[in-house]
Amino acid sequence: GVFEYLPESKQVFCSRSLFELLGLQEIDEEYTYLESEGFAKMMQVLGTGIKESEDVRLYQISRNGANRYLRLKIVKTEHGNETGVLLDVSEEVEKQRKLELERDYDQLTQLYNRGVFRRNTEALLNSGKLACAALVMWDLDNLKYVNDTYGHEMGDRYICLFADQLKLLAA
């Protein structure tokens, strides 16, 4: 979806796809012009979003019970016009989330993995905010026996049950 703010006429040129991305009433024409106040009101559906760079923001909106992610880039010209491009980046965001989950979490327990532990520990140690610390380590008794006697599936269940108890401590 695209738009262009024309300050001399106080109007905003809007494409049909802009309305579609925002989940608003569709228009019949390929484009339309809105008064700047009406356009500003329409764009409030996006909320505040997250600033990705000086002229780019990422927004999350709910539409038909699903979360959608929209990226808005605004370019200002020397004539005072502002051109905006709104893209649906939901697939990109979901792929990124999936990659981060695979990178940061153990697949079996859904607890942070060693890499995240190291990064978080280094950040905490380098922050200068740490006055005192303790590290607790657990060893699951008889895990080898459970694996050998009942199979690795039961050993995995044993590990997951312990992980579930650890998650309760963090809550």
Side-chain angles (χ1 to χ4, degrees):
V2 296
F3 64 86
E4 183 174 17
Y5 171 62
L6 310 166
E8 66 278 352
S9 65
K10 296 193 181 205
Q11 288 191 319
V12 182
F13 166 87
C14 302
S15 69
R16 178 191 310 167
S17 55
L18 182 67
F19 290 85
E20 292 168 356
L21 286 170
L22 294 173
L24 301 174
Q25 182 178 357
E26 293 186 22
I27 59 173
D28 294 331
E29 301 84 25
E30 287 295 315
Y31 63 89
T32 189
Y33 287 89
L34 298 176
E35 297 297 321
S36 59
E37 296 84 19
F39 175 77
K41 197 173 202 177
M42 178 179 83
M43 295 299 281
Q44 287 177 350
V45 73
L46 291 175
T48 55
I50 299 168
K51 186 176 183 176
E52 291 187 317
S53 68
E54 193 58 39
D55 57 352
V56 179
R57 292 188 82 78
L58 181 67
Y59 299 92
Q60 177 184 348
I61 63 171
S62 285
R63 206 166 100 197
N64 301 328
N67 285 329
R68 305 300 299 168
Y69 296 91
L70 304 174
R71 181 170 287 132
L72 176 63
K73 179 177 177 75
I74 298 177
V75 177
K76 296 181 182 183
T77 66
E78 65 260 7
H79 299 82
N81 294 7
E82 290 183 8
T83 302
V85 178
L86 187 68
L87 297 171
D88 186 337
V89 293
S90 300
E91 285 184 34
E92 176 187 328
V93 169
E94 290 303 323
K95 283 180 185 176
Q96 182 67 28
R97 275 204 179 138
K98 187 177 178 185
L99 284 172
E100 288 172 1
L101 283 173
E102 290 172 357
R103 178 195 70 200
D104 294 344
Y105 288 88
D106 176 71
Q107 286 184 320
L108 180 64
T109 63
Q110 296 304 306
L111 292 172
Y112 280 141
N113 63 24
R114 184 181 311 173
V116 174
F117 171 76
R118 284 187 179 179
R119 284 195 305 273
N120 289 349
T121 302
E122 286 176 14
L124 186 60
L125 291 172
N126 293 331
S127 72
K129 297 178 182 178
L130 190 64
C132 182
L135 176 65
V136 177
M137 295 180 68
W138 281 284
D139 179 33
L140 295 181
D141 288 340
N142 301 317
L143 178 59
K144 181 176 178 357
Y145 173 79
V146 171
N147 278 334
D148 291 346
T149 307
Y150 303 105
H152 287 277
E153 189 174 305
M154 287 306 292
D156 287 352
R157 176 112 172 94
Y158 182 33
I159 293 169
C160 288
L161 288 170
F162 180 73
D164 290 342
Q165 296 307 305
L166 289 178
K167 290 173 191 173
L168 290 175
L169 293 174

